[in-house]
Amino acid sequence: PAQPQKIALPAVVAGRFHPRGDRDWLAFEAKAGEEWVFDLHSRRLGLPTDPSLLVESVTQSPDGKAVTKEIAFADDGPAEFQGGVFDRPSFDPTITFKPPADGTYRLLVRELAADSRAGIDRAWVLEARRPVPGFRLVVPLAQPDRVDPKKIARSVP
């Protein structure tokens, strides 16, 4: 974290969860109120990973030391696809981030099991972009579960 790779937004950055214990830190400048989306792709690439994202603000204390504060954390994708009727998480995290103040921020890209497993085949791609208006259409092809109506019964073809 003391020497993060500096990036300018918007950006697309690629990396690997390698070697074991790897943590990839990125630093960027952002202005208050400007909305950004950080969308990590790894599991969607067919890789056996469990990535997470962390955004921190970085300021200076009066004695010149860096002071960090956690702003946002994401693991396992958008909340609307976790639990509930779908009972199936998306394993790639996405953070929609609106900086509270102008300044320097850090982003941590981490594989949650990186301390026990790693490999050059465990890659990631991070897209840092402005939000784009749109929607996602989800059409369940099964009936509600008879035991628990909050879940979808899986149909067998």
Side-chain angles (χ1 to χ4, degrees), residues 59-84:
T59 57
Q60 297 289 328
S61 68
D63 61 355
K65 294 183 180 178
V67 177
T68 60
K69 178 183 176 187
E70 182 176 324
I71 302 292
F73 175 79
D75 178 25
D76 293 342
E80 64 266 23
F81 294 114
Q82 296 180 32

Side-chain angles (χ1 to χ4, degrees), residues 45-154:
L45 301 174
L47 302 173
T49 59
D50 187 9
S52 68
L53 293 174
L54 170 71
V55 176
E56 295 179 334
S57 65
V58 182
T59 57
Q60 297 289 328
S61 68
D63 61 355
K65 294 183 180 178
V67 177
T68 60
K69 178 183 176 187
E70 182 176 324
I71 302 292
F73 175 79
D75 178 25
D76 293 342
E80 64 266 23
F81 294 114
Q82 296 180 32
V85 297
F86 295 103
D87 198 24
R88 188 184 127 198
S90 168
F91 291 100
D92 286 332
T94 299
I95 290 178
T96 301
F97 172 64
K98 190 179 277 189
D102 291 3
T104 302
Y105 294 86
R106 287 194 312 209
L107 179 76
L108 170 62
V109 178
R110 178 176 174 224
E111 208 272 328
L112 294 175
D115 291 338
S116 60
R117 64 179 186 227
I120 58 171
D121 61 331
R122 296 176 185 268
W124 55 266
V125 176
L126 177 74
E127 179 185 11
R129 59 177 167 73
R130 296 281 190 186
V132 177
F135 65 93
R136 292 183 182 176
L137 178 63
V138 178
V139 179
L141 300 176
Q143 298 296 321
D145 189 271
R146 291 181 189 183
V147 177
D148 185 353
K150 292 182 180 178
K151 291 189 177 180
I152 296 294
R154 302 193 197 295

Side-chain angles (χ1 to χ4, degrees), residues 12-32:
V12 175
V13 182
R16 298 188 184 279
F17 298 116
H18 183 76
R20 187 173 289 180
D22 184 39
R23 310 284 191 274
D24 293 308
W25 288 93
L26 307 171
F28 61 93
E29 299 293 321
K31 297 196 179 295

